[in-house]
Amino acid sequence: MQNLIQDLNDKQQEAVLQTDGPCLIIAGAGSGKTKVLTHKIAYLMAEKYVKPWNILAITFTNKAANEMKQRVETLVGDAANDMWIGTFHSICVRILRKYIDRIGFESSFIIFDTQDQKTLIKECLKELKIDDKLFSDRSVLSEISNGKNEMLEPKAYATKYEGDYRKEIISQIYALYQKRLKENNAVDFDDIINYTIKILTENVDVLEYYTDKFQYVLVDEYQDTNKAQFMLISILASRHGNITVVGDNDQGIYSFRGADISNILNFEQDFPGTKIIKLEQNYRCTGNILKAANAVIKNNQVKYDKKLWTQNDEGNLPTIYVGNDEYNESNYIVSQINTLKREQFYNYSDFAILYRMNSQSRAIEDILRREKIPYKIIGGQKFYERKEIKDIISYLRLIFNTSDNLALKRIINEPKRGIGKTSLDNIQEISERTGVSMYEIIKNAEQYGLNRVYINSREFIDTIEELREKQDKILISELVKETLNKTGYTKALKDENTVEAESRIQNLDEFLTVAMEFEEESADNTLQEFLENMTLTTDLDNMQDEQDCVILMTLHSAKGLEFETVFLVGMEEGIFPRI
């Protein structure tokens, strides 16, 4: 036992040795929480003679689960293979495979991905004769997901929102959607935890089996749990009461995903007799970085206050740079990267640039491309590769060149126009056989016996023809605005009324800025030149080895990672924090 914990600090040892009853470990950033969890698992097996199959360890990502399993295997050997280590969803699927027949499914159930869900929602809308322009598949799915996160089944959802016209309609869709899922022997992502809870609470034998099996339950990133996840672990730990959770109330940044910070703040009330241990020694950061962090989090008006400290060197002081705009910020960042790379032999991979919203990356990307600095976006897409940006560029390409079949196929149903895959395949076959562009075939669909295509495409064709006539008469930015408006693209996003749609609208607004900046810099101001510029700026062939590149990501995606040098941009009121 001494060999197992000798390399742990005093508080880490205390956390490992606290095996019985509920234990809340408040773990500051870089304090070695994963090390504590893995050593606690090893200690339980070595000193408490707990069988590996009686231990349940839950993390939030597959990557974290794999890392934990590997580290446990290093400590205990092959016995780690008999342990349940995984994400909430992977753990629940294991239970569902065995007992989902209790709620009328077969064990061979499938899990519908997002595209499957959208297809099914569309079928439900059609069956219920609901206008998909008023109730888009995305907006309906978002509402249903919110209901499931609140653990509301269709009847409960309908009762809660009685009197709300839109949600009453969605409750009808929700009920039919769940019925069709069951007919397909399918569940969606949100069902996985909820169905597991349903089985456990409605079947005494299943409940007794798993509450007896899991004598020790350990949960990482507890501050990020939602209502359903809290309910699940409360049930599984109910018999033995040996539950250890690791979290940090100062790192609760995922409320927009349904995380409930009250889960960690109320842990003592939910699990009486809780032992609280704080891990405050930081192994990751320099002294000056920790001083800055402590100065920020001391203003949090929540309990479990702590003060991180380190034995590391003081290191460099944080630098504050006040720029005139996002381009000034980006130029400063690039100058610092070049200087540090030249004078201190840094690699590009030593740098990370963090922002609050993905739309903020565009100005940074422009300057990095200009300076031929390789970069990679983590947890998002490069600005010019985002769906909505590729869509508007495809519209402009088709306006400029109606022979561009690739562009047409991308946007013919963005937004939906009732020209399905079968019709498109038929049109493409005719195009390949005759050499006539797909656009011309659609434009003259009656001549090819495609009467339904002709009817559904009239508005689209008329819009493209009108924009083609205007392309040389108006500014590029005006052409972009008219394209987004006349095609109904922006309206469709607004009708979705989702966080994702709002983000896409913001990215399109940023694209308008690109067009206006092009107008200021271009002498000819032609669509041809603009499109060529887009092609060149999205060509990353001149990038060096992908592994040696600057990392761009949101602050949310960066949680738990570390870099030699970090730039935080857009640190201004209204953006960070975003209100």
Side-chain angles (χ1 to χ4, degrees):
M1 185 267 287
Q2 186 62 35
N3 290 335
L4 184 63
I5 65 172
Q6 65 181 0
D7 60 339
L8 303 178
N9 66 40
D10 291 345
K11 286 297 181 180
Q12 290 175 334
Q13 289 186 22
E14 182 182 357
V16 167
L17 298 177
Q18 180 63 41
T19 57
D20 297 331
C23 178
L24 171 61
I25 303 173
I26 301 296
S31 60
K33 62 184 179 65
T34 303
K35 189 173 187 177
V36 166
L37 285 174
T38 54
H39 279 68
K40 188 165 191 172
I41 290 171
Y43 178 79
L44 286 170
M45 295 174 61
E47 299 298 323
K48 294 290 184 175
Y49 305 108
V50 178
K51 301 300 182 183
W53 50 83
N54 294 136
I55 299 173
L56 171 64
I58 303 177
T59 66
F60 265 81
T61 66
N62 290 321
K63 180 180 179 182
N66 291 333
E67 179 186 353
M68 182 178 290
K69 187 171 183 179
Q70 290 171 3
R71 291 170 72 166
V72 169
E73 190 172 358
T74 300
L75 295 171
V76 305
D78 292 339
N81 295 323
D82 297 322
M83 199 175 302
W84 282 44
I85 300 176
T87 65
F88 276 98
H89 290 90
S90 66
I91 294 298
C92 286
V93 167
R94 290 184 68 174
I95 297 175
L96 291 178
R97 288 292 177 202
K98 191 171 183 179
Y99 291 106
I100 200 169
D101 63 308
R102 301 292 181 95
I103 55 174
F105 290 81
E106 297 178 9
S107 60
S108 59
F109 70 90
I110 58 174
I111 301 171
F112 271 15
D113 62 17
T114 302
Q115 193 55 53
D116 295 326
Q117 291 176 265
K118 288 179 181 178
T119 300
L120 187 55
I121 287 291
K122 290 171 188 173
E123 292 177 0
C124 292
L125 292 171
K126 184 177 181 180
E127 184 173 345
L128 293 170
K129 296 181 172 57
I130 295 173
D131 189 347
D132 61 4
K133 293 181 180 177
L134 298 177
F135 293 85
S136 70
D137 51 20
R138 287 175 181 169
S139 62
V140 170
L141 274 176
S142 178
E143 288 289 349
I144 291 176
S145 181
N146 290 339
K148 291 184 178 183
N149 285 337
E150 295 180 43
M151 299 183 67
L152 296 174
E153 294 186 354
K155 288 183 179 179
Y157 183 93
T159 299
K160 179 174 181 177
Y161 294 109
E162 185 177 0
D164 183 322
Y165 171 76
R166 181 174 179 81
K167 292 192 175 181
E168 284 183 343
I169 298 296
I170 288 175
S171 70
Q172 298 175 34
I173 306 169
Y174 183 10
L176 182 59
Y177 170 72
Q178 290 302 107
K179 181 181 179 182
R180 294 289 178 259
L181 276 174
K182 195 167 186 178
E183 290 173 354
N184 283 275
N185 194 36
V187 300
D188 66 20
F189 199 68
D190 295 314
D191 287 329
I192 292 172
I193 295 178
N194 288 344
Y195 280 164
T196 303
I197 293 171
K198 183 178 179 69
I199 291 170
L200 290 169
T201 55
E202 294 180 357
N203 297 271
V204 176
D205 61 326
V206 181
L207 177 65
E208 289 183 348
Y209 174 79
Y210 284 106
T211 55
D212 181 60
K213 174 182 176 61
F214 296 129
Q215 298 175 16
Y216 290 87
V217 177
L218 303 94
V219 184
D220 195 10
E221 303 288 3
Y222 189 68
Q223 77 281 346
D224 294 334
T225 54
N226 60 26
K227 181 178 179 179
Q229 291 161 341
F230 164 76
M231 180 71 71
L232 177 71
I233 61 174
S234 298
I235 292 171
L236 293 176
S238 60
R239 173 169 294 193
H240 298 284
N242 300 321
I243 178 170
T244 296
V245 302
V246 181
D248 183 1
N249 48 292
D250 291 322
Q251 295 186 56
I253 61 173
Y254 291 115
S255 60
F256 68 96
R257 295 180 184 172
D260 187 350
I261 192 66
S262 67
N263 287 347
I264 191 170
L265 298 180
N266 297 335
F267 189 83
E268 294 172 85
Q269 287 72 43
D270 296 326
F271 299 93
T274 293
K275 172 71 173 179
I276 300 174
I277 301 169
K278 296 180 182 179
L279 303 183
E280 298 175 295
Q281 182 175 359
N282 178 285
Y283 294 91
R284 180 184 298 163
C285 304
T286 59
N288 283 319
I289 295 297
L290 280 189
K291 289 177 184 177
N294 286 328
V296 173
I297 64 175
K298 74 176 183 180
N299 296 299
N300 291 348
Q301 297 180 352
V302 294
K303 58 182 179 178
Y304 304 134
D305 60 310
K306 60 188 176 304
K307 186 172 183 179
L308 300 177
W309 61 277
T310 185
Q311 293 180 341
N312 295 338
D313 294 338
E314 287 295 285
N316 296 326
L317 287 169
T319 299
I320 298 176
Y321 177 81
V322 180
N324 297 323
D325 54 31
E326 64 270 33
Y327 281 102
N328 191 268
E329 281 183 341
S330 301
N331 279 312
Y332 169 79
I333 290 171
V334 167
S335 70
Q336 292 297 304
I337 290 174
N338 287 334
T339 298
L340 289 170
K341 195 170 187 299
R342 181 178 62 252
E343 296 181 359
Q344 298 188 31
F345 307 106
Y346 278 33
N347 296 316
Y348 286 124
S349 56
D350 291 326
F351 300 98
I353 304 173
L354 310 182
Y355 36 77
R356 173 61 183 83
M357 301 175 292
N358 280 316
S359 58
Q360 291 175 267
S361 74
R362 203 271 298 176
I364 301 166
E365 291 186 65
D366 282 349
I367 303 302
L368 291 174
R369 278 195 305 273
R370 185 194 70 190
E371 298 296 319
K372 294 182 172 56
I373 293 177
Y375 68 93
K376 179 168 56 178
I377 291 184
I378 305 297
Q381 295 172 290
K382 293 181 173 63
F383 181 80
Y384 294 104
E385 293 179 2
R386 292 172 183 143
K387 179 187 181 302
E388 60 276 11
I389 303 304
K390 293 179 77 172
D391 285 348
I392 182 58
I393 291 175
S394 293
Y395 266 114
L396 296 176
R397 281 168 48 184
L398 187 64
I399 291 167
F400 177 70
N401 175 20
T402 57
S403 295
D404 192 335
N405 288 343
L406 191 63
L408 181 135
K409 287 193 292 183
R410 181 176 183 88
I411 50 85
I412 185 63
N413 278 312
E414 295 288 342
K416 299 301 180 186
R417 298 187 174 91
I419 302 176
K421 183 179 184 299
T422 301
S423 295
L424 273 179
D425 289 344
N426 192 17
I427 293 166
Q428 184 169 353
E429 187 275 328
I430 296 173
S431 175
E432 291 174 351
R433 177 162 46 83
T434 63
V436 178
S437 72
M438 293 179 67
Y439 178 86
E440 288 298 321
I441 293 170
I442 294 173
K443 182 179 178 181
N444 303 291
E446 279 186 324
Q447 298 178 19
Y448 296 89
L450 304 171
N451 295 333
R452 185 176 178 182
V453 170
Y454 183 86
I455 294 171
N456 291 342
S457 66
R458 285 313 87 195
E459 186 176 352
F460 169 75
I461 292 295
D462 291 342
T463 298
I464 297 299
E465 290 295 308
E466 178 185 348
L467 293 171
R468 280 176 55 76
E469 288 185 8
K470 289 184 176 181
Q471 63 176 304
D472 296 326
K473 302 174 183 176
I474 59 178
L475 295 172
I476 299 299
S477 58
E478 292 299 320
L479 182 63
V480 171
K481 288 179 185 177
E482 290 209 22
T483 300
L484 291 171
N485 291 331
K486 291 183 180 297
T487 61
Y489 194 94
T490 301
K491 182 179 183 301
L493 289 175
K494 289 180 178 178
D495 289 344
E496 284 182 23
N497 194 30
T498 64
V499 174
E500 180 185 4
E502 180 185 352
S503 176
R504 289 184 170 181
I505 290 172
Q506 291 172 351
N507 288 333
L508 289 170
D509 289 339
E510 188 69 13
F511 186 79
L512 272 174
T513 303
V514 173
M516 288 186 282
E517 290 170 353
F518 167 79
E519 291 164 2
E520 294 176 359
E521 299 171 0
S522 170
D524 297 329
N525 191 34
T526 63
L527 180 57
Q528 177 182 354
E529 185 184 0
F530 182 63
L531 291 172
E532 287 176 355
N533 186 53
M534 291 297 99
T535 302
L536 292 174
T537 54
T538 57
D539 182 4
L540 304 179
D541 290 339
N542 59 353
M543 286 179 59
Q544 300 175 18
D545 182 2
E546 189 179 52
Q547 297 304 310
D548 185 27
C549 55
V550 178
I551 300 299
L552 277 66
M553 69 179 86
T554 64
L555 286 120
H556 290 94
S557 299
K559 186 165 175 274
L561 302 180
E562 55 185 292
F563 298 91
E564 187 72 25
T565 301
V566 176
F567 299 96
L568 303 176
V569 303
M571 304 296 285
E572 52 201 70
E573 191 169 349
I575 295 180
F576 188 86
R578 187 180 176 196
I579 55 174

